[in-house]
Amino acid sequence: METKKWNEVSPNAILIADKDIIKQILVTNEFPKNKKYESMRLSSVTLLTATDIKWHKQRRKLLSSAFSTKYLDSLEPLIQSVIKSLIKKINVTLDVDSNDSNGTVINLAKLIHECTMDIVGETAFGGSFKMIENGDLPLIRKIFEERRRRSLVSSFPILKPFKPADPDLLKNRRQNSRREDLLQIMLDTQQGEEGMTDNEIYNQIIEFLFAGSDTSSFTITMLFAMLMENPTIERKLVSELDEALKDDELSHKKLKPLTYLNCPGKVTTKDLVLDDVNEFIPERWLNPDKIPKDCFIPFSAGTRNCIGNNFALMVIRLLTSTLLKMYRFEYISGQDMDVVQYLTPNFKTKRYDIRIWKR
Ligand code: HEM
């Protein structure tokens, strides 16, 4: 029986499940983005919402240096400083609550989300939001409420417009000394002829915030959920980390070449159909000939692929490995794992509880 290649999900939308058709749309024919993306904008066009191909190409070129491997390496100390704050918070909770036999239950989804938000704050907003320390921030809450509203705007355009202006952000940076981060790269474009306006910079930073935090935090939380359900796989990953890091400082340079941590990282040259796609089997990526070619496209493909791909992988590697090196985790059964999707997927309950001990 032939597998169905797409499904109609509404009168104007189809969901495609065929990798060759997806490749044709994203890469071979480079279909332009749907005009609906325009209604997702706040007060200026951004990378994700651009529909004009020429404008997008120019802007993408301007910002690509901010996501080069070399530049991302220079952001590692900022990312590590946020991860340290997370560890400090977890350790305080453990010191207060934990006893050797029962450990402590934490909401991992919330902690990781606060951490990825603070990482984007530290690397793109000019300073951490300190969500880890404070748990909330009114400006961020406002932006997130707006983001949810905007996923409705594409269906009900009458809800527009909204402008959560924060003029102090750029003013403060100009008054203070230079800091090597994404905000600085965007401000530096203003020296050239086709530089970004203040308003464009502000909107682009907000886009980095919601494109870069929920996506990475849900990926990490889901990875932990999968590891908890598959203790053999968890043990194998922890052994790899222990062996590679021994007593050394944990750094991205040491994590990047690890084989098991970096599944999936290989590609095959053959076309194959898998019948165990829903199983969590990292090993499948170690055997390229058993994986259909071009089947793994979480960051999209072609000219509109994710500009934050390497940034996300770096954060995922650092955060996951630090947690696995420092703590022992235990599965708590019976949790509601239903997923809802606004712009990005998330657990309906916004929780993933896990029992934790220091190693
Ligand atoms: C696990 C983490 C991530 C995943 C799975 C992911 C996935 C994606 C996907 C599928 C797209 C294409 C969206 C579309 O065509 O509508 C995209 C675009 C984009 N992503 Fe990500 N992303 C992640 C992390 C990040 C991070 C960390 C940043 C920035 C700090 C980021 C910034 C962007 C931007 C700006 C675009 C638009 C690019 C363009 O059109 O030129 N993403 N991402």
Side-chain angles (χ1 to χ4, degrees), residues 137-183:
L137 195 77
L139 172 68
I140 301 305
R141 197 171 353 106
K142 203 167 148 198
I143 292 171
F144 265 70
E145 278 162 13
E146 176 57 17
R147 189 198 65 167
R148 211 152 280 141
R149 211 178 68 107
R150 268 196 291 164
S151 58
L152 289 174
V153 167
S154 52
S155 314
F156 306 102
I158 200 166
L159 291 174
K160 268 176 84 173
F162 169 90
K163 194 176 180 211
D166 180 16
D168 291 345
L169 183 73
L170 305 188
K171 202 171 84 196
N172 288 347
R173 171 57 65 91
R174 286 199 183 98
Q175 278 167 1
N176 296 320
S177 52
R178 260 186 91 84
R179 187 175 191 265
E180 292 309 324
D181 59 12
L182 303 182
L183 174 58

Side-chain angles (χ1 to χ4, degrees), residues 263-322:
C263 296
K266 311 255 172 57
V267 285
T268 182
T269 48
K270 289 187 197 160
D271 268 9
L272 295 163
V273 176
L274 295 184
D275 51 16
D276 57 0
V277 280
N278 290 326
E279 305 293 315
F280 182 58
I281 312 172
E283 285 78 7
R284 71 165 96 240
W285 303 101
L286 299 175
N287 201 343
D289 288 343
K290 296 235 156 75
I291 307 282
K293 194 177 155 208
D294 297 329
C295 71
F296 188 65
I297 40 173
F299 294 104
S300 191
T303 50
R304 302 307 294 263
N305 75 344
C306 177
I307 197 171
N309 178 344
N310 288 325
F311 183 99
L313 290 177
M314 179 168 170
V315 169
I316 294 168
R317 286 187 193 108
L318 284 169
L319 194 43
T320 306
S321 306
T322 307

Side-chain angles (χ1 to χ4, degrees), residues 8 36 54 74 92 117 119 157 197 287 299 323 325 329 334:
E8 274 184 48
K36 275 199 166 187
K54 201 164 151 243
S74 75
V92 170
M117 297 268 282
I119 287 174
T197 64
N287 201 343
F299 294 104
L323 291 173
K325 271 297 282 172
F329 297 90

Side-chain angles (χ1 to χ4, degrees), residues 25-245:
I25 292 172
L26 295 175
V27 185
T28 322
N29 298 325
E30 282 186 22
F31 278 23
K33 274 212 163 163
N34 190 306
K35 291 271 177 207
K36 275 199 166 187
Y37 275 85
E38 292 174 3
S39 55
M40 288 164 63
R41 293 173 192 160
L42 293 177
S43 55
S44 84
V45 54
T46 53
L47 268 189
L48 181 77
T49 62
T51 48
D52 181 304
I53 294 175
K54 201 164 151 243
W55 187 95
H56 176 264
K57 196 171 170 194
Q58 189 267 341
R59 182 52 50 87
R60 179 93 182 204
K61 200 167 150 214
L62 211 56
L63 292 180
S64 59
S65 64
F67 292 92
S68 68
T69 320
K70 192 164 156 249
Y71 194 74
L72 290 180
D73 284 348
S74 75
L75 295 180
E76 183 173 348
L78 298 179
I79 298 173
Q80 292 270 25
S81 72
V82 176
I83 297 179
K84 275 204 181 88
S85 307
L86 175 70
I87 298 302
K88 200 167 145 197
K89 179 166 178 175
I90 296 178
N91 285 347
V92 170
T93 315
L94 280 175
D95 288 343
V96 175
D97 292 351
S98 165
N99 67 52
D100 274 352
S101 50
N102 291 329
T104 293
V105 176
I106 57 167
N107 176 359
L108 189 75
K110 182 169 182 289
L111 287 173
I112 301 277
H113 187 232
E114 288 166 359
C115 189
T116 55
M117 297 268 282
D118 280 351
I119 287 174
V120 179
E122 191 67 52
T123 52
F125 270 73
S128 165
F129 303 122
K130 306 238 175 275
M131 299 282 286
I132 294 174
E133 285 86 350
N134 304 324
D136 191 18
L137 195 77
L139 172 68
I140 301 305
R141 197 171 353 106
K142 203 167 148 198
I143 292 171
F144 265 70
E145 278 162 13
E146 176 57 17
R147 189 198 65 167
R148 211 152 280 141
R149 211 178 68 107
R150 268 196 291 164
S151 58
L152 289 174
V153 167
S154 52
S155 314
F156 306 102
I158 200 166
L159 291 174
K160 268 176 84 173
F162 169 90
K163 194 176 180 211
D166 180 16
D168 291 345
L169 183 73
L170 305 188
K171 202 171 84 196
N172 288 347
R173 171 57 65 91
R174 286 199 183 98
Q175 278 167 1
N176 296 320
S177 52
R178 260 186 91 84
R179 187 175 191 265
E180 292 309 324
D181 59 12
L182 303 182
L183 174 58
Q184 194 62 54
I185 290 221
M186 288 191 271
L187 284 170
D188 287 351
T189 66
Q190 298 188 330
Q191 310 302 322
E193 267 179 21
E194 291 181 311
M196 297 170 76
T197 64
D198 279 9
N199 191 36
E200 284 175 350
I201 294 180
Y202 185 66
N203 278 276
Q204 191 56 60
I205 296 176
I206 291 178
E207 181 168 284
F208 287 147
L209 178 66
F210 69 74
S213 60
D214 275 15
T215 43
S216 309
S217 71
F218 186 67
T219 305
I220 298 171
T221 309
M222 206 56 186
L223 172 60
F224 271 87
M226 292 295 104
L227 291 175
M228 291 308 102
E229 286 176 28
N230 297 274
T232 319
I233 295 174
E234 188 203 357
R235 275 196 295 279
K236 205 165 156 183
L237 180 55
V238 172
S239 308
E240 183 183 58
L241 291 172
D242 286 349
E243 177 59 29
L245 300 168

